[in-house]
Amino acid sequence: MLSIQRNVPLDDLNTLGFSANAEYFVQITDIAQLPLLCEYCQEQKLELLLLGGGSNLVLGDRIGGMVALIDLKGWSSESLKDGRVLLRIAAGENWHTAVDRMLDEGLFGLENLALIPGTVGAAPVQNIGAYGVELKDHLHEVEVYDRAQKCFTRLSRSACHFAYRDSVFKSLEPDRYIITAVTFILQRDFNPVLGYSGLSELAGRPYLTARDVFEQVCSIRRSKLPDPKLLGNAGSFFKNPVIPPEQLLQLKQRFPDLVSYPDQGRCKLAAGWMIDRCGWKGRREGQVGVYEHQALVLFNAGGGTRTELERLMANIQLSVQQTFGVWLEPEPRFYPAIKN
Ligand code: FAD
Ligand code: NAP
């Protein structure tokens, strides 16, 4: 039931487009394969890397151990008495296609998350978010294979410990769970979230639909972000740092135009603005660089290496730290992990 291959290139399976080779590789199309896979990895002492669309990770040139491409498919729904709908989607389905189909079926809530690359199964890992909506806002539960307990189980929203671009799957217990399906709780009534610039202009429309918001999000994203098929990237490379209000006041004295937003009693700084202010926007170092229209995006122009990208990342972190006294944490996960 497990068809394991050796020395498989991952160049087309990561959106940064880095050249990488998996020592072992397997495609998971049936959840029954998961206990076998975990047993095999344990016996052979192989590390396991779960791969979805490869849009939020930075690969080294050799990935020792097993890479498992999660390719589980499926979609089902159940209407609740209060009019809401539970929608269960298997982990290997494409995220954007799923959001598109939700709208076709009259299920609303996730339209602001259109055009985010990757799979449904990876979406809870960093609690994907955009334009004022986060995955957790409409998540009911996550189905997983628990590698520690060796069993299939379900995690409620609270058990997922969702936070800003974070969850139990990313930080607390990063290698414990294999996500097999996600169940969302969605509405038949459309309640638009239009707080972000680019969407707020839709507020005046007399007959606004969720499809309008979806199209607008797609249109803004196409104009601002590089298409990974044309320019290798992993989306926002750094998280927006969140600092105490007192620190913001001090920073505002030195940088009155610093872009920040309130965040649950604290202050979220726009990392892209700080990187731009440090002069990095549009700069290129070898085959990697900082995207000219969005300083939060680092790119591989083709033939770039992880070493080059790590150097660029470190230089940006240092420069922002020296200018603003704030450390930028990378958003994607590194495989193998960065050596300190
Ligand atoms: P991968 O990159 O394959 O994996 C990401 C992590 O999840 C890895 O640690 C992997 O091991 C783990 N993982 C994957 N599948 C599973 C599974 N089934 N079970 C357990 N762990 C798993 N992110 C946002 O939040 N908002 C955005 O607006 C956004 N825009 C982006 C735009 C661009 C152009 C790009 C390139 C990226 C963007 N991202 C954004 C980041 C990325 O698309 C998301 O984080 C996405 O959810 C990653 O999905 P993936 O399938 O590609 O995951
Ligand atoms: P933007 O609209 O230019 O805004 C810059 C930053 O300011 C964003 O990071 C956003 O924080 C914050 N922001 C803007 N308006 C805000 C508001 N009304 N309230 C609170 N925070 C606000 O950003 P962009 O680069 O074009 O991206 C638009 C959206 O897509 C953002 O939500 C961004 O997170 C998301 N996106 C994410 C990725 C990724 O890889 N993670 C890639 C591309 C786009 P937040 O990031 O917290 O929203």
Side-chain angles (χ1 to χ4, degrees):
M1 283 186 82
L2 285 180
S3 170
I4 296 169
Q5 297 167 258
R6 290 205 68 164
N7 289 323
V8 172
L10 303 175
D11 308 22
D12 295 334
L13 297 178
N14 74 101
T15 61
L16 267 165
F18 282 155
S19 189
N21 243 45
E23 189 181 6
Y24 297 93
F25 181 89
V26 66
Q27 189 167 356
I28 299 297
T29 54
D30 184 336
I31 57 168
Q33 292 170 298
L34 292 175
L36 301 175
L37 171 69
C38 295
E39 206 178 297
Y40 182 85
C41 289
Q42 196 174 8
E43 274 171 19
Q44 302 294 318
K45 298 191 172 39
L46 298 176
E47 277 190 41
L48 174 60
L49 162 58
L50 304 171
L51 188 62
S55 64
N56 209 22
L57 32 81
V58 182
L59 300 181
D61 49 10
R62 188 176 176 279
I63 311 295
M66 177 75 74
V67 173
L69 180 71
I70 305 299
D71 200 18
L72 301 163
K73 302 289 185 198
W75 174 288
S76 62
S77 63
E78 176 196 337
S79 293
L80 300 177
K81 281 187 186 138
D82 64 7
R84 292 181 300 169
V85 173
L86 290 178
L87 177 65
R88 178 187 180 279
I89 311 180
E93 297 282 357
N94 176 272
W95 173 261
H96 174 72
T97 310
V99 175
D100 194 6
R101 184 169 161 188
M102 287 173 202
L103 300 193
D104 282 346
E105 299 198 2
L107 301 175
F108 307 129
L110 292 168
E111 48 282 349
N112 291 36
L113 304 188
L115 218 59
I116 297 180
T119 54
V120 169
V125 174
Q126 75 153 1
N127 178 27
I128 57 169
Y131 298 99
V133 173
E134 287 184 323
L135 182 92
K136 71 169 172 52
D137 302 336
H138 299 278
L139 184 131
H140 177 63
E141 65 179 18
V142 178
E143 289 172 44
V144 296
Y145 181 71
D146 181 346
R147 296 175 65 195
Q149 298 296 325
K150 300 186 179 169
C151 64
F152 289 97
T153 185
R154 291 157 195 264
L155 300 186
S156 66
R157 181 177 10 197
S158 65
C160 294
H161 296 280
F162 287 122
Y164 175 64
R165 304 289 188 271
D166 203 9
S167 73
V168 67
F169 312 108
K170 189 167 182 181
S171 302
L172 289 178
E173 299 190 86
D175 296 315
R176 178 165 173 183
Y177 299 109
I178 303 177
I179 297 172
T180 57
V182 183
T183 299
F184 301 95
I185 185 152
L186 298 168
Q187 283 145 4
R188 293 252 177 230
D189 301 325
F190 168 50
N191 295 302
V193 176
L194 304 175
Y196 274 49
S197 75
L199 295 187
S200 45
E201 65 208 44
L202 296 179
R205 282 204 194 170
Y207 301 110
L208 184 68
T209 66
R211 182 59 71 181
D212 294 333
V213 174
F214 175 93
E215 295 298 350
Q216 181 78 351
V217 168
C218 291
S219 156
I220 307 171
R221 294 182 72 103
R222 286 196 180 103
S223 70
K224 285 176 96 170
L225 293 168
D227 178 348
K229 289 195 191 95
L230 305 176
L231 186 68
N233 75 92
S236 302
F237 201 82
F238 298 101
K239 294 192 213 174
N240 287 325
V242 180
I243 61 168
E246 311 80 57
Q247 195 180 350
L248 178 68
L249 274 178
Q250 287 171 2
L251 277 172
K252 281 270 192 188
Q253 283 168 3
R254 287 171 50 219
F255 306 99
D257 49 349
L258 178 71
V259 179
S260 70
Y261 297 89
D263 189 281
Q264 296 168 24
R266 291 165 61 88
C267 307
K268 180 178 71 179
L269 303 180
W273 185 91
M274 293 192 286
I275 297 168
D276 188 4
R277 178 68 190 249
C278 291
W280 286 99
K281 196 174 184 176
R283 256 166 81 173
R284 185 160 163 175
E285 298 200 340
Q287 289 306 100
V288 300
V290 182
Y291 190 53
E292 58 187 331
H293 302 302
Q294 169 52 286
L296 212 45
V297 175
L298 305 192
F299 66 80
N300 167 23
T305 62
R306 166 162 157 175
T307 310
E308 280 180 303
L309 191 78
E310 273 190 45
R311 199 179 308 128
L312 177 63
M313 173 186 86
N315 287 338
I316 293 172
Q317 284 170 317
L318 200 63
S319 153
V320 169
Q321 164 83 41
Q322 282 168 352
T323 310
F324 298 99
V326 173
W327 187 250
L328 294 183
E329 291 292 340
E331 189 181 283
R333 196 162 162 200
F334 287 68
Y335 293 95
I338 298 181
K339 289 190 196 104
N340 288 313

